[in-house]
């Protein structure tokens, strides 16, 4: 952290809460909450609804370049995690999964990701757990649930964080109340 390169724009559109993971071969994966495509394509039909999911950008050169380049309309990155929650009054499928944070398990093959997921029709927020055994190689279609290996809405809570200790134990934390 003594020196930093110039900032680089790698994504345009509505996106928030990026996190990073480096794979054993040095590949960087950037995970982000991905709502820009639905916002761009269905802006008039979205109304006050927000549809999100988790997308991924990948760098094989320590962050100098990223793929896919999602700098132009409709701002589509590689969709890797999302679940359907309802269809709005204008017929738009609303999805959820946001605030992704991931770890690579000690087997160096399995990624475990925790996300914040909104319950149906804007109710409570929950934490969902997603697993990938192929480093999220599969891209989901616009309204496709996935990936298959996941546990949806496992516990009420927001802003998840996950870590694996050297012992192999995994800790998951989240905020469960906003009251002070």
């Amino acid at each position: 952290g003594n020196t930093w390169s110039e900032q680089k724009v790698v994504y345009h559109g509505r996106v928030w809460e990026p996190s990073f993971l480096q794979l054993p071969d040095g590949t960087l994966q950037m995970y982000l909450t991905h709502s820009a495509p639905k916002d761009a394509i269905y802006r008039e039909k979205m109304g006050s609804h927000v549809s999100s999911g988790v997308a991924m950008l990948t760098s094989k050169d320590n962050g100098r370049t990223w793929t896919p380049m999602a700098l132009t309309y409709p701002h589509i990155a590689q969709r890797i995690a999302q679940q359907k929650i309802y269809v709005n009054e204008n017929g738009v499928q609303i999805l959820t999964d946001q605030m992704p944070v991931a770890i690579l398990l000690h087997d160096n093959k399995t990624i475990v990701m925790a996300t914040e997921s909104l319950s149906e029709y804007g109710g409570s927020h929950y934490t969902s757990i997603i697993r990938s055994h192929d480093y999220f190689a599969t891209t989901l279609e616009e309204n496709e649930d996935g990936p298959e290996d996941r546990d949806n809405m496992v516990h009420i809570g927001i802003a998840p964080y996950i870590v694996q200790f050297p012992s192999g134990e995994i800790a998951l934390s989240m905020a469960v109340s906003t009251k002070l």
Side-chain angles (χ1 to χ4, degrees), residues 7-37:
Q7 76 175 17
K8 181 181 290 191
V9 176
V10 298
Y11 187 92
H12 279 276
R14 185 171 163 185
V15 54
W16 60 97
E17 293 138 354
S19 64
F20 296 85
L21 182 67
Q22 188 166 31
L23 302 179
D25 70 357
T27 299
L28 290 172
Q29 292 183 335
M30 180 192 324
Y31 311 112
L32 44 93
T33 302
H34 188 240
S35 69

Side-chain angles (χ1 to χ4, degrees), residues 84-136:
K84 298 174 187 174
I85 50 175
Y86 63 92
V87 175
N88 79 2
E89 64 277 359
N90 294 316
V92 178
Q93 178 67 60
I94 305 299
L95 307 164
T96 192
D97 281 342
Q98 58 195 35
M99 292 190 80
V101 61
I103 58 171
L104 181 64
L105 296 185
H106 294 327
D107 67 5
N108 282 333
K109 297 176 185 171
T110 307
I111 295 174
V112 177
M113 176 182 287
T115 66
E116 177 183 293
S117 301
L118 185 62
S119 64
E120 189 172 331
Y121 299 105
S124 297
H125 286 81
Y126 287 82
T127 296
S128 294
I129 303 297
I130 298 157
R131 289 167 292 280
S132 174
H133 308 283
D134 62 3
Y135 302 138
F136 292 112

